[in-house]
Amino acid sequence: MKLLHLSLFALTLAAPNVYALSSDSEQPVYIDSDSQQLDMKSNQVTFLGDVNLKQGSININADKIIVTRNAVNGEIEEIQGFGKPATFSQLTDDGKTLYGEADDLHYQLVADRLIMTKNAMLSQDGSIIRGSKITYQIGSQKLVADSGENKRVSTVLQPTEVNK
């Protein structure tokens, strides 16, 4: 198994000073779906059918989203998205869009981390990283892409001129 450790530097060689919108984590979470199921015992709400989630500039679209809340304080701990693919997008402070997709998304709000598994892809300004698993630290803009067994991580970096 090979690991490729990158900071957003690799994604944004052509776009320096890119940071996720710092206010996103302070925004409310809005969710639209065809249906929802609440399990009060496990503090989980399952949203089904063309689910759209928005928190600030963060957007997640999936066939199914499970939201888990902390039993003590009621804060959202994790959002799991499932689809073929489920998608993630977020604006950066300089107005660029970071886009990701995978069959499974695990957005851990407390840790400010997005874990994308099964056919994972993350892109910005035409630069793309693909792997079996991508772990993305949203606030610090750092990621680890894992290729899985007998596979490789694939990266395409766009030159500066393409992004101007």
Side-chain angles (χ1 to χ4, degrees):
M1 178 164 46
K2 296 184 179 209
L3 291 177
L4 177 62
H5 295 273
L6 300 171
S7 68
L8 194 59
F9 174 75
L11 270 179
T12 59
L13 286 174
N17 301 321
V18 176
Y19 298 99
L21 284 180
S22 53
S23 62
D24 282 341
S25 63
E26 300 165 5
Q27 301 300 315
V29 175
Y30 298 94
I31 304 170
D32 291 318
S33 65
D34 292 339
S35 67
Q36 72 175 14
Q37 302 167 358
L38 172 63
D39 182 347
M40 294 175 76
K41 205 171 199 176
S42 69
N43 292 305
Q44 289 188 331
V45 182
T46 301
F47 299 88
L48 300 167
D50 191 23
V51 187
N52 300 303
L53 179 144
K54 182 167 179 56
Q55 182 186 28
S57 76
I58 294 172
N59 289 291
I60 297 175
N61 297 301
D63 298 327
K64 175 181 174 180
I65 288 182
I66 300 172
V67 176
T68 304
R69 299 181 75 114
N70 182 294
V72 176
N73 61 22
E75 290 187 25
I76 297 173
E77 292 181 336
E78 183 176 34
I79 297 169
Q80 300 171 68
F82 305 93
K84 294 285 184 186
T87 64
F88 168 89
S89 65
Q90 181 179 27
L91 288 178
T92 60
D93 282 335
D94 67 352
K96 297 180 187 282
T97 299
L98 182 68
Y99 175 80
E101 61 183 43
D103 293 350
D104 297 348
L105 301 175
H106 299 273
Y107 177 25
Q108 300 166 339
L109 280 77
V110 175
D112 197 29
R113 176 177 33 239
L114 175 70
I115 300 170
M116 302 179 290
T117 57
K118 299 180 187 166
N119 304 309
M121 183 276 295
L122 190 64
S123 70
Q124 183 174 339
D125 289 337
S127 296
I128 300 169
I129 295 175
R130 293 182 188 278
S132 60
K133 178 180 178 184
I134 297 174
T135 302
Y136 173 55
Q137 210 52 55
I138 295 171
S140 64
Q141 297 277 297
K142 295 182 180 179
L143 68 88
V144 175
D146 182 355
S147 61
E149 285 188 36
N150 302 318
K151 294 185 180 179
R152 299 180 53 86
V153 171
S154 173
T155 304
V156 176
L157 301 174
Q158 294 295 331
T160 304
E161 295 79 36
V162 172
N163 295 317
K164 287 186 179 178

